[in-house]
Amino acid sequence: MNMLKIVAVPMHPEGRKFVTIFAIIAVLLALVWEPLFWLGLGATVWCYYFFRDPARTVPQRAGLVMSPADGVVSLISEVAPPPELGLGDTPVYRVSVFMNVFNCHVNRSPMDGKVTQIAYHKGKFVNASLDKASEHNERNGLAIEGAEGHRIGVVQIAGLVARRIVCFVKIGDALKTGERFGLIRFGSRLDVYLPEGIQPAVSVGTTAVAGETILADLRADQTPVQSVNI
């Protein structure tokens, strides 16, 4: 872990109180036994690193669906979108990006569009890498409709460690591709439901970067592009 890179990256405001708590605990540990301070300091640095919010270079070409999260593509399957998002019941491709505790957890909009639905559900906290997490875990879903009528779903899913999903937007808001719309604390996953007939441009095991990795191409007259990290 390059310490200079960590310090140079800005932290999302959501992380300030957590870093402060970790730092206070580190000071208290120093009063108990000095070696414990270094453990606390390491935990504080990790917390800052977890809430980092780096700038991203977002492709400007229309029709691309970008990854909403940093992580690894853990699942690709054809399933019906969550009914609460109003995207119909026809099975479509779902691309799941799993974030571990070392990934950046700021979530970004996969495409330009208007938020037409937001639905939060309480749930369990099973391992977010499992397929059943989409149905059983705590989650917050958004439906986004683009200018050309394409609609996608993006669902924030809590994991084993995550206990708090944060969403910054509301129904009716307009989002730009790569714009920050939320985050999940301490390990989780995001599911993207593509429009009917659209094929994914990634495969399981692909390392994704939020706002930079292409998940799919919505242009009907184009062959889906291969995933790239810019």
Side-chain angles (χ1 to χ4, degrees):
M1 188 182 296
N2 188 312
M3 297 298 292
L4 181 59
K5 289 184 178 180
I6 294 173
V7 174
V9 175
M11 179 180 64
H12 194 278
E14 280 285 330
R16 292 172 183 166
K17 61 183 176 182
F18 293 96
V19 172
T20 300
I21 292 171
F22 273 65
I24 292 173
I25 292 174
V27 172
L28 294 177
L29 288 174
L31 299 176
V32 177
W33 188 36
E34 183 177 346
L36 292 178
F37 166 76
W38 298 107
L39 292 176
L41 179 62
T44 303
V45 172
W46 169 80
C47 188
Y48 183 99
Y49 178 73
F50 177 88
F51 284 103
R52 67 195 184 281
D53 187 14
R56 294 288 162 81
T57 303
V58 181
Q60 298 302 305
R61 180 161 66 80
L64 296 178
V65 178
M66 311 306 297
S67 176
D70 288 11
V72 174
V73 177
S74 58
L75 295 167
I76 295 177
S77 53
E78 288 188 84
V79 296
E84 63 268 18
L85 295 184
L87 298 176
D89 55 7
T90 301
V92 296
Y93 276 105
R94 180 186 67 197
V95 180
S96 302
V97 180
F98 176 75
M99 300 179 287
N100 64 38
V101 295
F102 297 105
N103 291 129
C104 174
H105 275 57
V106 175
N107 306 145
R108 295 172 179 264
S109 177
M111 70 176 193
D112 290 353
K114 179 180 179 181
V115 178
T116 60
Q117 186 63 270
I118 298 177
Y120 171 79
H121 281 269
K122 292 183 179 180
K124 300 178 181 179
F125 299 97
V126 301
N127 191 329
S129 65
L130 300 177
D131 187 39
K132 64 181 180 181
S134 295
E135 180 180 354
H136 297 298
N137 280 24
E138 177 190 5
R139 65 189 186 274
N140 185 68
L142 283 72
I144 302 173
E145 183 172 348
E148 297 182 359
H150 292 294
R151 295 191 300 163
I152 66 168
V154 55
V155 183
Q156 301 168 285
I157 300 173
L160 275 174
V161 182
R163 289 295 186 275
R164 177 64 171 147
I165 294 173
V166 182
C167 182
F168 309 140
V169 299
K170 61 184 182 300
I171 294 175
D173 283 353
L175 290 172
K176 292 292 186 182
T177 304
E179 183 178 348
R180 300 163 180 84
F181 75 86
L183 62 80
I184 315 177
R185 296 173 188 161
F186 307 116
S188 42
R189 155 180 151 194
L190 266 81
D191 286 348
V192 176
Y193 293 85
L194 300 175
E196 185 178 353
I198 300 299
Q199 300 275 334
V202 290
S203 57
V204 172
T206 298
T207 298
V209 178
E212 296 189 357
T213 299
I214 300 167
L215 296 186
D217 191 339
L218 299 177
R219 298 177 306 176
D221 60 339
Q222 296 289 329
T223 300
V225 297
Q226 294 300 309
S227 173
V228 293
N229 290 341
I230 298 175

